[in-house]
Amino acid sequence: MTRDRPGRISPGDIYEDCSFHPVLCTFNDGDQIEGISLIDASMPRACSLAFCGVIKLSIDDVVAARTDWPAYVDRRKAEFEQESGSEA
């Protein structure tokens, strides 16, 4: 299970955006957060800290995502649905 690591997300940190991409943070203005995907290098990937499900990730989470991207996304979607109380 992927867990949010506590603390502010700053440039250089790794977070998961609302599309479940592990992202290297390049900008945070307190609400808008931007970065570069560690899956496909797409950029800028931008989310709102107030309105998106952004979480801070560990290196182990990034390795899991890179090892089997489809399985990681499926697992994270299931975890998100379980946490939000919705059903697929």
Side-chain angles (χ1 to χ4, degrees), residues 6-85:
R8 176 178 162 83
I9 300 171
S10 301
D13 290 336
I14 299 168
Y15 67 94
E16 182 180 271
D17 71 5
C18 56
S19 296
F20 304 107
H21 274 241
V23 176
L24 176 65
C25 179
T26 59
F27 174 83
N28 180 343
D29 74 359
D31 178 47
Q32 183 175 332
I33 191 166
E34 296 179 2
I36 302 165
S37 169
L38 296 177
I39 297 299
D40 63 11
S42 57
M43 63 177 274
R45 298 200 61 97
C47 286
S48 165
L49 290 171
F51 298 106
C52 295
V54 174
I55 63 170
K56 196 171 180 180
L57 294 179
S58 70
I59 295 298
D60 290 338
D61 294 320
V62 176
V63 170
R66 294 280 306 161
T67 300
D68 188 347
W69 175 238
Y72 178 85
V73 171
D74 289 344
R75 178 177 59 83
R76 288 298 295 133
K77 284 181 181 178
E79 289 173 357
F80 181 79
E81 289 169 2
Q82 182 179 14
E83 290 169 6
S84 66

